[in-house]
């Protein structure tokens, strides 16, 4: 049974030298965070690590211990530098094995695509005891090993793997949000924001300033698992801004 009164957390490790060098811009953080939010799980931290065994092992062991779930993206492909499976296996203290169902899936997928060679067979390797995450896009499945979920680095394939996991993880109530915008410098209303958040226990208010049309403004994103509390907080903040002579914009600017 889902415990809706508890906060479930996750961490994400983005694996890849290409991300750290700037050659590739990561798009998975946003989609993983959004997907987790719908599942009632909070993405608490993200770490980007190189294709280096020790770095991945250390990150896996640190982050899986202090979160309910750990996701990784990247490093599970067919080439020699795809070492995420090996690193996770080392972190868990188990050997790497060929998963029979993963092999069967790959044999079927590549039957009309040149066959299953040694490089492609690497994508059937898993930490011993691991299960699979369905991937309808490219055949090669993702991997679930304990509370660690290994996914592809290609965002479209990651999306398919997330879809395969939808509804399978235990979480709490999903986080909902509401935005109030205002043409005001956030420094002018810092106390108001702090007091409003303190008054409505169970909400968080994020302030996101901008400069447009030659003037400063900010959007205030209010988040909570309680829709009624969220609406009350948004209404209170809008009223307080209006009382200061600052017009609030429901939905943001």
């Amino acid at each position: 049974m889902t415990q809706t009164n508890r906060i479930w957390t996750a961490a994400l490790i983005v694996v890849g030298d290409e991300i750290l060098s700037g050659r590739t811009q990561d798009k998975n953080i946003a989609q993983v965070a959004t997907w987790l939010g719908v599942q009632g799980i909070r993405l608490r931290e993200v770490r980007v690590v190189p294709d280096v065994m020790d770095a991945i092992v250390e990150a896996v062991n640190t982050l899986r211990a202090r979160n309910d779930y750990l996701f990784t993206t990247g490093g599970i492909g067919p080439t020699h530098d795809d070492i995420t499976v090996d690193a996770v296996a080392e972190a868990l203290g188990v050997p790497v094995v060929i998963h029979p169902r993963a092999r069967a899936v790959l044999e079927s997928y590549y039957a009309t695509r040149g066959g299953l060679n040694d490089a492609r067979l690497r994508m059937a390797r898993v930490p011993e005891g691991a299960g699979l995450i369905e991937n309808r896009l490219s055949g090669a499945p993702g991997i679930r090993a304990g509370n660690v979920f290994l996914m592809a680095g290609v965002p479209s394939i990651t999306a398919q793997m997330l879809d395969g996991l939808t509804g399978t993880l235990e979480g709490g109530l999903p986080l909902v949000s509401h935005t109030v915008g205002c043409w005001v410098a956030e420094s002018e209303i810092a106390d108001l924001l702090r007091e409003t958040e303190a008054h409505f226990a169970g909400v968080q208010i994020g302030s996101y300033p901008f400069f447009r049309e030659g003037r400063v403004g900010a959007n205030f994103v209010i988040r909570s698992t309680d829709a009624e509390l969220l609406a009350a907080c948004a209404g209170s903040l809008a009223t307080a801004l209006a009382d200061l002579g600052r017009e609030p914009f429901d939905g943001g600017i």
Side-chain angles (χ1 to χ4, degrees), residues 37-195:
V38 174
Q39 311 306 306
I41 302 165
R42 315 286 177 82
L43 181 60
R44 284 301 195 205
E45 50 191 323
V46 177
R47 189 181 297 190
V48 183
V49 299
D51 298 304
V52 174
M53 180 72 70
D54 290 347
I56 302 172
V57 170
E58 189 277 329
V60 167
N61 277 331
T62 298
L63 298 182
R64 73 184 176 97
R66 67 184 181 211
N67 292 280
D68 296 297
Y69 305 109
L70 171 62
F71 290 77
T72 72
T73 59
I76 62 170
T79 60
H80 71 283
D81 60 345
D82 288 312
I83 60 172
T84 302
V85 170
D86 304 84
V88 170
E90 182 172 323
L92 298 177
V94 298
V96 174
V97 299
I98 298 293
H99 194 292
R101 189 160 67 86
R103 179 173 188 146
V105 168
L106 291 167
E107 285 176 341
S108 175
Y109 181 81
Y110 286 110
T112 58
R113 297 174 173 85
L116 186 61
N117 57 29
D118 288 343
R120 290 167 174 173
L121 185 59
R122 283 180 57 83
M123 293 185 289
R125 299 164 73 250
V126 304
E128 186 176 57
L132 303 180
I133 303 170
E134 183 182 5
N135 165 26
R136 295 188 297 271
L137 187 62
S138 66
I143 302 163
R144 176 174 185 169
N147 71 334
V148 184
F149 300 81
L150 290 72
M151 301 184 298
V154 178
S156 58
I157 301 177
T158 304
Q160 288 292 323
M161 292 178 178
L162 291 172
D163 184 62
L165 282 174
T166 295
T168 67
L169 304 186
E170 191 168 8
L173 290 172
L175 201 63
V176 289
S177 65
H178 189 93
T179 302
V180 176
C182 188
W183 291 104
V184 63
E186 62 175 353
S187 59
E188 294 181 26
I189 58 166
D191 289 341
L192 171 61
L193 295 176
R194 183 174 60 254
E195 291 163 4

